Amino acid sequence: MSVARARRSDLPVHPVLNERFSPRAFSDRAITDAELELVLEAARWAPSSMNEQPWRFLVTRKGGDGHAELLAALNPSNQVWADKAPVLILNLVHRTLSRNGQENYHARHDLGLATAQLTAQATALGMGLHILGGFNAEMVRTAFEIPDTYDLVSVIALGFPGDPESLPEHLQQRELQHSPRRPLSELVHYGRFNG
Ligand SMILES: Cc1cc2nc3c(=O)[nH]c(=O)nc-3n(C[C@H](O)[C@H](O)[C@H](O)COP(=O)(O)O)c2cc1C
C-alpha cells in the first residue's frame, strides 16, 4: 500500500516541502551508497555562520557498525518504529569556532539548516525521514566515545516510506494525519513585534 496523503499547504509551496512529513512506517527497500551520499552531500552545501560548517553526521546502517548502539539509545516510544528504518544518523555539532575557540552561538541553527537540506534532498528522492530528539545523548556519547567538544543534538531515521498497517495499531492513524501548523498570522510580524 502506498501512502496517499493530501498536500498540506493551500499555497503553492514547492512540492518537496508540501509533501514531506515525518513517517514512522518504513518499507524494506534499502538505501544505496549513492543515495546516501547524495542526501549527505545536500547537507554539506548548507549555509552556516562564518562558514564554520559545525554539523557532523554519524551514519549507521541496520545490521552494520554502530546501529544497535544508536537504536538502543532511542526512547522506547521511538525504538518501536525506528528499528525498521535502514539508516539511523546521529546529528552532532562542534560546539566552538575553529578560528578562536569561542562558543559557536549558531551551531545548532546551522545543523538545522543542514538537516533541512538533507530532508529536502531525501524527499525529492522519494525517501522519508523522521528526526528524533527523544534519545539518551549520554548513552550515545559513551558508546561512541564522542569528545565533549561536540553536542549530540538529534537522530534521523531514514528510509523509504512504508505501509502504515505495518505499525503498531496506536501509530497507524497518526501516520495518515498531518501534524497541524500554527497560522502564519501567529508566526509572522510585519514592522513591529506584537508579542
Ligand atoms: C528536533 C526534532 C525532534 C523530534 N523528536 C521526535 C521524537 O523524539 N519522536 C517523534 O516521534 N517525533 C519527533 N519529531 C518529529 C516532530 O514531532 C514532527 O516533525 C512534527 O510533529 C511535525 O510533523 P511533520 O514532520 O510530519 O510535519 C522531532 C522533530 C524534530 C525537528
Side-chain angles (χ1 to χ4, degrees):
M1 183 176 123
S2 68
V3 186
R5 297 163 63 96
R7 289 163 64 90
R8 309 211 290 179
S9 176
D10 293 332
L11 297 179
V13 298
H14 195 283
V16 148
L17 307 177
N18 217 358
E19 287 160 14
R20 185 213 60 80
F21 70 103
S22 297
R24 290 187 174 83
F26 290 97
S27 77
D28 292 337
R29 180 170 165 189
I31 293 178
T32 65
D33 289 343
E35 287 167 336
L36 191 53
E37 187 179 14
L38 197 50
V39 299
L40 294 165
E41 177 72 1
R44 188 165 81 96
W45 288 99
S48 62
S49 176
M50 290 181 278
N51 201 19
E52 178 69 28
Q53 303 158 64
W55 48 76
R56 301 290 183 273
F57 302 105
L58 194 165
V59 180
T60 72
R61 282 182 177 279
K62 198 170 163 67
D65 286 348
H67 183 270
E69 289 85 344
L70 191 50
L71 183 66
L74 301 185
N75 291 358
S77 60
N78 289 325
Q79 270 178 31
V80 291
W81 53 266
D83 67 339
K84 303 286 184 318
V87 171
L88 289 178
I89 304 174
L90 173 69
N91 301 322
L92 314 91
V93 288
H94 192 246
R95 196 184 298 136
T96 54
L97 292 164
S98 47
R99 62 175 57 189
N100 59 14
Q102 300 290 302
E103 184 200 347
N104 182 357
Y105 178 75
H106 293 105
R108 287 173 183 238
H109 174 281
D110 295 346
L111 172 68
L113 286 171
T115 54
Q117 293 203 181
L118 187 157
T119 300
Q121 183 68 59
T123 308
L125 292 169
M127 295 180 194
L129 72 81
H130 200 132
I131 302 174
L132 300 172
F135 73 106
N136 184 327
E138 282 320 302
M139 243 177 105
V140 176
R141 190 183 292 286
T142 304
F144 291 94
E145 298 177 23
I146 296 169
D148 204 33
T149 41
Y150 295 88
D151 285 338
L152 285 56
V153 181
S154 54
V155 173
I156 293 175
L158 177 68
F160 286 90
D163 185 346
E165 286 175 17
S166 68
L167 290 168
E169 209 166 295
H170 69 284
L171 293 176
Q172 290 183 15
Q173 261 321 99
R174 271 175 87 179
E175 191 74 353
L176 298 168
Q177 289 162 354
H178 287 312
S179 301
R181 288 299 189 269
R182 298 177 197 273
L184 268 188
S185 57
E186 190 183 331
L187 303 174
V188 182
H189 304 262
Y190 290 99
R192 64 166 68 176
F193 192 73
N194 302 318

